């Protein structure tokens, strides 16, 4: 019996210093999309904690006692399906394809784990945060019976 051969394929990392510097300036917390969601949650009377590291995926917003979490995903980084912002850079496209697949896989694992713990999970995409009224409706539907005030 022959031993199994494991082959690991790694995509090249971008090496262009200008691109690296530009990508290093991308915010990971307190983005404008997150600020809009935070404002909407506050206006709905919902209390929350931000970036809760004790939960799978470190949700952007969470209320453990209320049993809900909200992820605010960037359309580019999490590759929002059928969104014009979910582009693939032409340079080093194999790296980016692997990166996006990895991000989406990690997101799915975190969501499954949270749902196993009986959390209600809402995923809000960056492009969905532009219209405050639509955002409020989206959050209220996703979290349904959460909160003291009616949305």
């Amino acid at each position: 019996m022959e031993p199994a051969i494991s082959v690991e394929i790694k995509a090249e990392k971008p090496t262009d210093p200008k691109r690296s510097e530009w990508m290093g300036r991308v915010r990971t917390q307190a983005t404008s999309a997150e600020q809009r969601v935070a404002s909407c949650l506050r206006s709905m009377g919902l209390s929350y904690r931000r970036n809760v590291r004790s939960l799978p995926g470190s949700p952007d917003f969470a209320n453990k006692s209320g049993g809900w979490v909200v992820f605010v995903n960037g359309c580019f980084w999490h590759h929002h399906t059928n969104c014009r912002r979910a582009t693939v850079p032409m340079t080093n496209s194999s790296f980016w394809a692997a990166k996006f697949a990895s991000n989406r896989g990690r997101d799915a694992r975190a969501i499954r784990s949270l749902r196993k713990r009986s959390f209600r999970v809402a995923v809000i995409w960056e492009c969905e945060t532009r219209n405050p009224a639509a955002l409020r409706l989206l959050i209220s539907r996703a979290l349904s019976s959460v909160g003291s005030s009616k949305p």
Side-chain angles (χ1 to χ4, degrees), residues 18-109:
K18 283 185 180 180
R19 179 169 309 267
S20 182
E21 179 188 338
W22 180 74
M23 294 305 239
R25 286 186 274 153
V26 174
R27 295 178 66 101
T28 58
Q29 294 181 3
T31 63
S32 57
E34 283 184 27
Q35 300 292 30
R36 289 189 288 268
V37 171
S39 176
C40 186
L41 289 170
R42 281 192 306 274
S43 75
M44 295 170 71
L46 299 174
S47 61
Y48 56 83
R49 296 280 182 218
R50 286 188 125 169
N51 306 307
V52 181
R53 295 187 188 274
S54 62
L55 292 175
S58 297
D60 298 302
F61 303 95
N63 183 314
K64 289 182 182 180
S65 62
W68 58 267
V69 301
V70 175
F71 289 98
V72 182
N73 288 349
C75 296
F76 174 78
W77 291 105
H78 298 267
H79 219 66
H80 187 193
T81 306
N82 297 324
C83 179
R84 66 179 182 82
R85 295 170 185 226
T87 60
V88 178
M90 296 179 80
T91 307
N92 206 358
S93 58
S94 61
F95 166 81
W96 289 107
K99 173 73 173 160
F100 296 142
S102 171
N103 288 353
R104 291 184 70 131
R106 185 179 60 246
D107 293 345
R109 286 189 301 276

Side-chain angles (χ1 to χ4, degrees), residues 3-20:
I5 298 174
S6 174
V7 177
E8 187 176 324
I9 300 172
K10 288 189 176 184
E12 286 183 40
K13 289 188 177 182
T15 56
D16 178 17
K18 283 185 180 180
R19 179 169 309 267
S20 182

